[in-house]
Amino acid sequence: MKCKLLVVIAVLIALVAGYYLGDYRARRLAYNNWGFFVAKQLESELRWKENAAFCAYLDEPPAVAAWALETLINAYQRYAANVLNITGKQDQNYQSHEMFAHARLSKVYSGQNMTDRAQLHLDRAIRLSKGKDADDLMQMVEWADKYEKKSSQQWAAPYGAQGAPSGVP
């Protein structure tokens, strides 16, 4: 009788322990998958906003370019905060991207004679570039803009290329 009671208690303890350990493992796996999903969603949002902001910076009026770059900077800051909350580590990969966004926004604002906002974003770009000189930073932005404009034109479809067929075989 005592032996049967001990076997029943051991089986119950094993079942409860297995349930709790399995539940813990499943929750940990779900949390890791959730963190991965959220991080990848944020990265894809950043890619989309980077493309939109760069196209606006090159081709749209300054007010549209400024809005797109401000939105991109907000997305970078939201991404950094969320990645820090999910992983517990700060992601350094997008700091240079944010630096270029601030420098380009400074350039847009200086073209609109908004010197105080231009200076604010130039200071933020310098801080993110770890103290580079403002002239060096703007020269780097000019070089990057020239290169990216050239490469974006290389891959862009010519105007009307997606239109109706011309009828020529």
Side-chain angles (χ1 to χ4, degrees), residues 12-23:
L12 285 175
I13 289 174
L15 285 174
V16 169
Y19 173 77
Y20 280 117
L21 288 176
D23 184 56

Side-chain angles (χ1 to χ4, degrees), residues 85-105:
N85 285 339
I86 292 168
T87 63
K89 295 181 263 181
Q90 188 69 36
D91 189 3
Q92 303 292 324
N93 293 337
Y94 286 101
Q95 280 192 343
S96 63
H97 296 259
E98 187 177 353
M99 176 205 56
F100 274 107
H102 278 293
R104 286 177 174 147
L105 192 55

Side-chain angles (χ1 to χ4, degrees), residues 34 39 95 107 151:
W34 175 80
Q95 280 192 343
K107 193 173 161 186
S151 65

Side-chain angles (χ1 to χ4, degrees), residues 32-96:
N32 288 344
N33 287 341
W34 175 80
F36 178 75
F37 173 75
V38 169
K40 291 303 173 187
Q41 283 293 106
L42 289 169
E43 284 180 15
S44 86
E45 178 191 4
L46 280 181
R47 296 279 186 258
W48 181 82
K49 287 189 183 290
E50 282 176 343
N51 289 337
F54 186 67
C55 288
Y57 174 72
L58 288 179
D59 300 329
E60 300 295 329
V64 174
W67 174 81
L69 288 167
E70 288 277 359
T71 303
L72 177 63
I73 290 168
N74 290 337
Y76 283 137
Q77 292 166 350
R78 190 173 64 251
Y79 174 79
N82 284 323
V83 167
L84 181 62
N85 285 339
I86 292 168
T87 63
K89 295 181 263 181
Q90 188 69 36
D91 189 3
Q92 303 292 324
N93 293 337
Y94 286 101
Q95 280 192 343
S96 63

Side-chain angles (χ1 to χ4, degrees), residues 1-11:
M1 176 77 181
K2 200 174 195 182
C3 185
K4 287 183 183 179
L5 183 61
L6 287 174
V7 168
V8 168
I9 291 174
V11 167

Side-chain angles (χ1 to χ4, degrees), residues 101-155:
H102 278 293
R104 286 177 174 147
L105 192 55
S106 170
K107 193 173 161 186
V108 168
Y109 282 144
S110 65
Q112 290 183 312
N113 293 326
M114 299 173 81
T115 55
D116 54 339
R117 295 188 93 179
Q119 188 61 43
L120 172 75
H121 287 286
L122 183 61
D123 291 342
R124 288 182 183 168
I126 290 171
R127 183 182 42 125
L128 288 169
S129 70
K130 297 177 178 67
K132 277 193 191 284
D133 184 24
D135 294 332
D136 293 341
L137 184 64
M138 294 314 283
Q139 184 180 12
M140 203 166 62
V141 168
E142 290 291 333
W143 176 83
D145 288 348
K146 189 169 106 177
Y147 176 76
E148 288 173 353
K149 188 173 186 177
K150 181 180 173 185
S151 65
S152 69
Q153 287 174 351
Q154 176 184 359
W155 294 106

